[in-house]
Amino acid sequence: MATDQELELIHDPAYVNAVRLAGKGKLPKEKAGNFGIGTEDTPIFPGMHEASALLVGGTLQAVDYVMTGKSQHALNLGGGLHHGFRGKASGFCIYNDSSVAIKYLQEKYHARVLYVDTDAHHGDGVQWSFYDDPEVCTLSIHETGRYLFPGTGNINERGQGKGYGYSFNIPVDAFTEDDSWLESYTTAFTEIVEFFKPDVILTQNGADSHYFDPLTHLSATMRIYREIPRLAHKLAHQYCEGRWVAVGGGGYDIWRVVPRAWSMLWMEMSSNPTPTGPLSPEWLDTWQPDSPVTLPQSWDDPEGIYEPIPRRPEITEKNTLTVEKLLYPIRSNQSSSVKPT
Amino acid sequence: MAKPSRYLPMTKDAVFVFSEELLTYKFSNDHPFNQKRLLLTLDLLKKRVLLLMRISSSQEWLPIRN
Ligand SMILES: [Zn+2]
């Protein structure tokens, strides 16, 4: 479990104190509101400080394993709570394990960190924590904030002061499908890692961009959950001697999407082939009775889980343009740096 | 990528940090954020996949400190 000192690398002591009191039922309602807790999204629950600090501790432990060379990669699926702010809970997130972990990586290991967030929601908490810091680069690919929480993650949020140019956002259109999503992700991640040359990569692996996810409006399938970790894995070896920490995140179809997506992530991290074919009949037998929906029968989604998207060409073109605009500054730098002076 | 050897203390490929206590992060029974998904994932990995994994030499399951 993360200590108060570790939590306070990012969070206000007054906020940590409020969360602790709230978890003991001792925080007055009117005060809770100031800290974003006791809301419909982020209600108070008994022991909320301990539960939240535990998952932060898990991410710090993953960091220590990787940075001390005990392991090349480390996974904490309990982490990825990217909406937590310095002094405020938001969007189901109380403490922000990724923000704490990045600060911890900086202080303990003097590492330059590339944070890559593939959750369908903008990774706002992490972005704002390091918005003015050129030693941390953040990339978030998410459904546009026009209709979706938290509403930020616009392409022109590029950082401020010395941190200008180190914050990258790809707001993809609603109903974006696998091909366009993957093209955006692959192009941006590949060029940004080359631009920033991090010491370690931290990926947030929210699994809520799938068509089945009840809270978002994208049209991705299991294909992206096979490819997301594959690229992260490859780039971690190419640029960071393998140093890769991964955390979980959102994911609200807990029956049909998250178990398959996160199993793929672990299989990729542990250098096993990502599975294909039918799902385990035992797993299906165990869980189908509890599931309100019919469980998928195979690792990949069959064709046609959704109706064809009529606006596909427009959506694809728009996303391509977004990525071009996003990467323009680092592309023009590259070409100007090779010009003779 | 270097494969761990049986004879030398080597870097592991990957560690999976887990504790059942992660499931105590629970707002309510009907809240959309539901860490039961961790159990569903672990169970899927165990039944279908751990059998195929070289867990003995290159992977480690790690309980979260304290
Ligand atoms: Zn999300």
Side-chain angles (χ1 to χ4, degrees), chain A residues 82-83 119-122 204 206-208 216 249-252:
Chain A
H82 60 171
H83 299 306
D119 193 284
H121 300 89
H122 176 223
Q204 192 272 15
D208 49 3
T216 64
Y252 307 100

Side-chain angles (χ1 to χ4, degrees), chain A residues 109-175:
Chain A
Y109 299 104
H110 308 285
R112 282 159 61 78
V113 186
L114 173 62
Y115 171 80
V116 179
D117 184 320
T118 50
D119 193 284
H121 300 89
H122 176 223
D124 57 347
V126 182
Q127 171 179 298
W128 302 127
S129 287
F130 301 98
Y131 207 51
D132 56 4
D133 188 342
E135 298 297 309
V136 177
C137 185
T138 62
L139 165 63
S140 178
I141 175 169
H142 45 264
E143 178 182 335
T144 166
R146 245 172 305 162
Y147 321 101
L148 189 69
F149 178 90
T152 49
N154 197 289
I155 183 167
N156 58 23
E157 292 163 24
R158 289 187 182 271
Q160 71 184 14
K162 285 189 176 150
Y164 186 84
Y166 294 91
S167 168
F168 294 90
N169 285 290
I170 310 173
V172 296
D173 242 22
F175 309 111

Side-chain angles (χ1 to χ4, degrees), chain A residues 221-242:
Chain A
T221 74
M222 285 311 296
R223 234 183 90 208
I224 72 167
Y225 297 109
R226 189 185 294 283
E227 298 302 329
I228 289 168
R230 183 178 288 173
L231 182 64
H233 196 181
K234 184 183 110 180
L235 295 176
H237 281 284
Q238 207 172 322
Y239 290 90
C240 306
E241 295 167 322

